[in-house]
Every structure is written in C-alpha cells, then in structure tokens.
Amino acid sequence: MDKIMSEFKKLHEFTDGNRTGQVFLTGIGRSRFMALLYQADLDYNDAKYFETEQDAEDCAEDWVMRK
C-alpha cells in the first residue's frame, strides 16, 4: 500500500474536526482522481474515484463539511 500511495500525487487536503478529505492524482485509467475520506473518531476510511479534479475536490470538501 505504501508504494501505491507514494505514486499518487496529493493535490488538496481539507480538514475539520475529526474529518479529513484528501484529493490525489492517480494517473490510473479514466478515473484519474481519488478522494480519500477519513473520519478519526470512527476510524472510517473510504476512497472514491473521479474523472475530474473538480469532482474529487467537491467530494472531499463536502465530506469534511458534512456534520
């Protein structure tokens, strides 16, 4: 997993309280952008893939802002 993550380029990071949303350029296939979502108090992780950077950024930002 570390090798895979080191090949990704982090573009954006959003944080609020215990939520973090990061946007990565993956360079893999059509879904070149990934939003990595994390919630610390639940130890919850999720990843969503997008064709555009803007869609991935919107997802990460929405995740962080959701209460």
Side-chain angles (χ1 to χ4, degrees):
M1 181 71 167
D2 288 335
K3 182 178 183 334
I4 292 172
M5 290 304 287
S6 67
E7 294 174 3
F8 292 173
K9 179 181 177 186
K10 185 167 37 168
L11 303 174
H12 308 282
E13 181 170 310
F14 303 93
T15 57
D16 186 21
N18 59 4
R19 286 181 181 238
T20 302
Q22 298 175 320
V23 177
F24 291 88
L25 173 63
T26 68
I28 300 171
R30 292 186 66 198
S31 300
R32 297 180 39 215
F33 300 94
M34 176 181 69
L36 185 61
L37 313 174
Y38 178 66
Q39 185 169 343
D41 63 333
L42 300 176
D43 197 26
Y44 171 84
N45 286 289
D46 194 10
K48 299 190 183 295
Y49 296 87
F50 300 91
E51 292 182 20
T52 70
E53 181 178 353
Q54 186 63 55
D55 288 343
E57 187 177 325
D58 290 347
C59 175
E61 189 172 21
D62 289 348
W63 163 257
V64 167
M65 300 307 291
R66 185 172 53 178
K67 298 293 178 190

